[in-house]
Amino acid sequence: PSTLGGAGPLRTVSPAIAIRRWRGRVDVGPTTALGRETGAALAVFGRVLDAGPDSVRLTAALVDVPRRSVVAEFEFRGAADRIGSLADSLTVALLDQIGRARPIGAVRHAGLTAVPLPALKAFLQGEQHFRHAHWDSAIADYERSVAAAPEFALALRRLSLTLGWQRSGEDSLGQAYAFRAGAANHGFAPRESLLVVAESLNAALWEFTREPQWWPLSRRLFETLDAAARRYADDPEVWYELGEARFHFGYWHGIGPADALRAFDRAIELDSAFAPAYIHPVELALIHEGPRAALRYAAAYTAARSGAAKGAGIPLVARLLRPDAARLDLDRLLDTIPTDAIHNAWLTLIAWPDSAETAVRLLRYLVAARRGQTPIADDSVTNNRLLASMLSFRGHLHEALATADPGYAPVLVDAALLGVVTPDSALRASRRWLAAGQLVPAGAALPLWEATADTTAVQAYTRALTADAVPHESLRRYLVARAAASLALAQGDTADAVRRFAALPESLCGGCQSVLAQARLTTAQLLSSRGRHQEAVLRLGPELPGLVRPMAVFTAPARAQANERLGRTQEALSDYRFVAEMWRTADSAFVAYRDEARTAVARLTGEVR
């Protein structure tokens, strides 16, 4: 049983691997074969049989794998609704038997004694649905399990995970279940306890800037999962969880998409029928290897879902990646697909630099055809701002300005920095944000104040940070340091600006994406201007997931130029090509950047433009 894991020096094979690799009858031969295949020295097989109207009989045998012999046999009887107690009795008996031949020392038994049979049965049924990414069915089963055992941490954890997939990681109900699981994390084997801890940390991190301990918690998440991967190196779910953490939160710790994909690939290698492990690799492969690689993951995902009629967007992604996708009547196709599937497909395709700009088309459909409602928000202002950000990301700032309301800071500031609107209009708006105490949009104007040497605005912003509008003290301290760096740059003191930007206390900024990404870009540009290219590359780090702003694209040429000067041709080419494709049909404000990237590709490859 998995409850033996962590008992002294004992380590157990992952249940997923044991179930997947089992072949043949429940007997000594197949058990020995499985033990040899998984490198186990001992193996257990058994049965649960009816023993009357309300009772069951549990039989089991302990097998010495190298000797192909049964060491001991066990039998327990009890009430059908107390099967957890029978399993615990078997665990105790196994530990006693193993301890006679091997020095396992004093151990703390971890069991499921308090979990009633209905909760266990519902949980195990949910596990099967979760494996196949059947979210609705899995949620129903986990909810029945939690209803029967409100403090059953394993079911609470899975319920949190499944709600995260069905809705989003920011779903408050899913977060609440994760925190309940963490509070009830008692009496389980180390593997299960580590995964419960990881899920509670993961839920806390989705609070981003609202969680003042964001950085310490994110470090603890990676420490927890890295330790689990070392301890359970052949456990597919541990690698899947590590891939999820790397995908969503790796950016802040210098962990890139390639690291996330390696973790997912390891999970898939260990358990190719575990459908959730394929979802994010579709996106990662699409960006870094192209549509053909993404389609391989999408096809494997579809197969692992056991023929379910509807997916969470991956089947739609696969259809849109096919070579004949250009001939699709996209609106007619989307009319037949659930909103959440379209939304998930959009999330997967956001950073794909295809000439058809499919992600823009999907979001435009969601905002228009769904009458202003998307799975993200149910008000037209928020959705129009999201569409405006997506348009600006692909270099269509004129349309972005026409789509968003006039007070939307990110698009207005980007338009001013790129000369699409006059700086004066954006500066007037930034002063209104300051006067109204709107420090979030005002903070977006820092690059504009730097570029226009508006020291008065930067100083006014610094004074405003003493008000109560900042979510928590650590973020306030980061923004004060950021404003001081901006002031040095606005004053023309580049030496002081380099020093201040390089020393920004990122650990105070929580998961604040846009603020941190802009500061890192400015820092890297300053470092490169002084020939410190290696530091610039390290400062830029990997791609930031989910940031739909032009700055997310501008990071690519900054990193490419630094890598080119360091002689890292392939790394530079990847970023130059991304820029050239992302802004293939962009507004005139982006043409110079696109053409510069094309020229760099030709220079580094010898291709003729």
Side-chain angles (χ1 to χ4, degrees), residues 76-424:
F76 301 93
R77 293 174 181 264
D81 62 353
R82 300 294 294 170
I83 195 168
S85 297
L86 296 181
D88 287 347
S89 298
L90 173 60
T91 300
V92 171
L94 286 168
L95 288 172
D96 179 65
Q97 182 65 42
I98 295 169
R100 296 177 187 180
R102 291 169 170 80
I104 62 174
V107 298
R108 176 179 176 271
H109 170 55
L112 297 171
T113 305
V115 181
L117 181 59
L120 282 173
K121 288 178 66 176
F123 172 72
L124 293 173
Q125 289 167 352
E127 290 292 87
Q128 291 304 308
H129 291 305
F130 186 89
R131 283 182 56 76
H132 299 302
H134 299 166
W135 308 134
D136 290 342
S137 298
I139 287 172
D141 286 328
Y142 294 137
E143 285 178 338
R144 286 193 297 110
S145 181
V146 169
E151 302 305 312
F152 186 15
L154 303 188
L156 289 165
R157 166 184 172 258
R158 276 292 203 226
L159 192 48
S160 172
L161 271 169
T162 314
L163 286 169
W165 274 119
Q166 190 191 54
R167 302 176 187 179
S168 79
E170 296 175 275
D171 180 70
S172 59
L173 182 58
Q175 290 172 340
Y177 282 126
F179 298 146
R180 280 178 57 187
N185 191 14
H186 310 295
F188 297 104
R191 172 191 178 275
E192 283 67 30
S193 288
L194 284 170
L195 292 176
V196 170
V197 168
E199 181 59 21
S200 63
L201 291 169
N202 177 80
L205 294 180
W206 281 100
E207 289 295 313
F208 287 101
T209 54
R210 295 185 295 278
E211 171 51 68
Q213 295 299 312
W214 198 95
W215 274 85
L217 290 176
S218 65
R219 284 195 297 269
R220 187 181 168 200
L221 173 65
F222 284 108
E223 289 167 359
T224 299
L225 289 173
D226 286 339
R230 288 192 298 270
R231 187 170 189 173
Y232 306 103
D234 293 328
D235 191 308
E237 187 171 356
V238 167
W239 285 101
Y240 159 73
E241 291 289 353
L242 183 58
E244 287 288 320
R246 288 176 175 178
F247 179 86
H248 290 291
F249 307 117
Y251 169 81
W252 290 274
H253 297 275
I255 300 170
D259 300 302
L261 188 56
R262 276 193 291 272
F264 286 124
D265 281 341
R266 177 61 174 154
I268 291 167
E269 177 188 359
L270 291 166
D271 184 2
S272 60
F274 187 61
Y278 291 100
I279 297 175
H280 288 313
V282 175
E283 176 182 348
L284 295 170
L286 176 62
I287 304 306
H288 296 281
E289 300 176 40
R292 184 174 298 178
L295 280 169
R296 287 197 299 270
Y297 284 106
Y301 169 79
T302 301
R305 297 194 77 240
S306 301
K310 297 178 181 178
I314 299 299
L316 174 58
V317 169
R319 183 67 189 87
L320 296 173
L321 293 181
R322 282 167 43 180
D324 63 347
R327 296 196 295 271
L328 280 175
D329 184 335
L330 186 58
D331 283 356
R332 179 174 294 180
L333 171 65
L334 296 181
D335 283 340
T336 68
I337 294 173
T339 306
D340 62 339
I342 300 172
H343 173 245
N344 288 328
W346 169 68
L347 288 173
T348 301
L349 298 172
I350 281 177
W352 181 33
D354 64 314
S355 58
E357 300 189 2
T358 306
V360 174
R361 296 173 69 190
L362 293 181
L363 187 58
R364 199 190 304 276
Y365 176 88
L366 282 171
V367 171
R370 303 294 174 169
R371 300 179 181 178
Q373 296 188 359
T374 76
I376 295 177
D378 58 4
D379 65 282
S380 59
V381 171
T382 300
N383 290 323
N384 285 339
R385 287 182 171 189
L386 180 60
L387 178 57
S389 293
M390 190 73 213
L391 288 165
S392 67
F393 183 52
R394 293 305 302 256
H396 306 302
L397 268 174
H398 290 287
E399 189 178 357
L401 287 166
T403 300
D405 54 288
Y408 188 41
V411 168
L412 184 59
V413 169
D414 288 337
L417 287 170
L418 288 162
V420 175
V421 300
T422 62
D424 286 346

Side-chain angles (χ1 to χ4, degrees), residues 438-452:
Q438 298 174 328
L439 298 189
V440 173
L446 283 168
L448 179 63
W449 298 333
E450 295 162 3
T452 57

